[in-house]
């Protein structure tokens, strides 16, 4: 089945040690998103790629970066994780190109990041 | 700025009670509306969505939602809840004025007592 896959499901990293989370999709959607969801809070958009164009949300810390080497893959890099970065990170995809092409979002299962 | 409001942060019901969760949004332009459910320890799952047409939308697991454009609302309903409906529910809106960026409400945590 076409889907959005996030690896790993659980990630433990040390304070200050760079970590990379990955997302892949088989939907051929041109838009990919990264959301951060802290405990008991709504998901918060960090950034998204529209094709190759990177779009950062204004309040996303510089500590968070992203790469999209091709249509199928997108990575979230956290340069120096702090305790406050512990959260569920959600990848999502959609088909962009105006209302006619938009069908909604498909979410991955998420990666739960623990910082020790 | 666009926003989504869910007025009930915590709801506690007994099994077989009826459920209605409120969702209001402030957006311009054409909107697409969603309800997601997140069971404890699990990822977001789509319950239902509204894009156009019949404003009463039926989703999975017996849920439905009604889009009332004049009230900027998209309330979620279920006639008779079950213990297994215990979860957090998120309303979300994507507006073509905002490039179809999905914005979530703050969520409503539902506890159903057996």
């Amino acid at each position: 089945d076409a889907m959005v896959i996030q690896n790993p499901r659980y990630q433990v990293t040390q304070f200050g040690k760079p970590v990379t989370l990955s997302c892949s999709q088989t939907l051929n959607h041109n838009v990919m998103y990264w959301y951060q969801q802290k405990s008991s809070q709504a998901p918060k958009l960090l950034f998204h790629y529209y094709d190759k164009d990177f779009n950062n949300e204004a309040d996303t810390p510089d500590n968070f970066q992203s790469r999209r080497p091709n249509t199928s893959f997108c990575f979230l890099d956290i340069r120096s994780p702090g305790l406050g970065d512990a959260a569920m990170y959600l990848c999502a995809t959609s088909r962009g190109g105006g209302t006619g092409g938009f069908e909604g979002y498909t979410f991955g299962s998420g990666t739960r990041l623990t910082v020790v | 700025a666009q926003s989504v409001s869910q007025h009930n942060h915590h709801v506690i019901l007994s099994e077989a009670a009826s459920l209605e969760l409120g969702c209001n949004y402030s957006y311009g332009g054409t909107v697409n509306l969603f309800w997601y459910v997140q069971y404890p320890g699990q990822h977001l799952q789509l319950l239902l969505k509204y894009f156009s047409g019949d404003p009463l939308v039926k989703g999975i697991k017996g849920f439905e939602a009604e889009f009332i454009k004049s009230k900027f609302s998209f309330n979620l309903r279920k006639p008779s809840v079950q213990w297994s409906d215990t979860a957090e529910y998120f309303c979300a809106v994507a507006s073509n004025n905002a490039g179809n960026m999905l914005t979530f409400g703050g969520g409503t945590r539902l506890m159903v007592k057996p």
Side-chain angles (χ1 to χ4, degrees):
Chain A
D1 290 339
M3 58 178 59
V4 180
I5 301 168
Q6 291 188 244
N7 285 306
R9 185 72 191 273
Y10 300 92
Q11 175 74 56
V12 180
T13 190
Q14 291 180 333
F15 183 94
K17 184 176 181 181
V19 64
T20 295
L21 310 182
S22 75
C23 177
S24 64
Q25 54 131 339
T26 59
L27 297 157
N28 204 33
H29 283 169
N30 59 327
V31 192
M32 295 187 77
Y33 311 82
W34 280 104
Y35 282 83
Q36 179 193 62
Q37 186 182 22
K38 294 188 176 180
S39 182
S40 301
Q41 296 183 24
K44 177 179 176 297
L45 181 64
L46 293 173
F47 27 58
H48 74 280
Y49 273 95
Y50 194 112
D51 296 319
K52 294 181 180 180
D53 294 333
F54 177 69
N55 299 273
N56 201 29
E57 291 300 298
D59 56 355
T60 298
D62 292 340
N63 197 27
F64 292 85
Q65 301 288 319
S66 185
R67 296 171 283 134
R68 189 179 186 185
N70 54 52
T71 301
S72 300
F73 285 87
C74 195
F75 300 98
L76 169 62
D77 300 309
I78 308 176
R79 290 179 182 170
S80 181
L83 297 178
D85 297 327
M88 174 77 86
Y89 290 88
L90 300 168
C91 175
T93 71
S94 74
R95 183 177 298 151
T99 306
F102 180 67
E103 297 174 338
Y105 283 46
T106 302
F107 280 89
S109 297
T111 294
R112 186 170 295 280
L113 178 69
T114 300
V115 182
V116 298
Chain B
Q2 53 203 25
S3 66
V4 182
S5 298
Q6 292 181 243
H7 308 295
N8 314 103
H9 298 294
H10 292 90
V11 174
I12 301 174
L13 294 173
S14 298
E15 276 196 313
S18 64
L19 170 72
E20 181 160 2
L21 302 182
C23 174
N24 288 91
Y25 63 92
S26 62
Y27 278 85
T30 303
V31 291
N32 301 304
L33 302 156
F34 306 83
W35 275 97
Y36 287 89
V37 61
Q38 190 171 33
Y39 298 102
Q42 297 190 26
H43 62 281
L44 287 169
Q45 297 177 39
L46 181 66
L47 270 180
L48 47 79
K49 61 184 179 183
Y50 172 81
F51 277 32
S52 63
D54 188 344
L56 184 61
V57 180
K58 294 198 182 297
I60 61 171
K61 305 187 181 190
F63 286 91
E64 65 178 31
E66 185 175 12
F67 171 50
I68 302 179
K69 189 175 182 179
S70 60
K71 294 184 178 181
F72 297 92
S73 70
F74 190 56
N75 292 354
L76 180 71
R77 299 194 292 249
K78 185 170 183 178
S80 176
V81 295
Q82 302 172 314
W83 176 79
S84 58
D85 294 323
T86 295
E88 187 142 23
Y89 293 81
F90 292 98
C91 179
V93 178
S95 164
N96 67 347
N97 277 11
N100 286 323
M101 292 298 105
L102 194 65
T103 299
F104 287 87
T108 297
R109 190 174 293 273
L110 172 66
M111 179 182 291
V112 180
K113 297 185 294 184

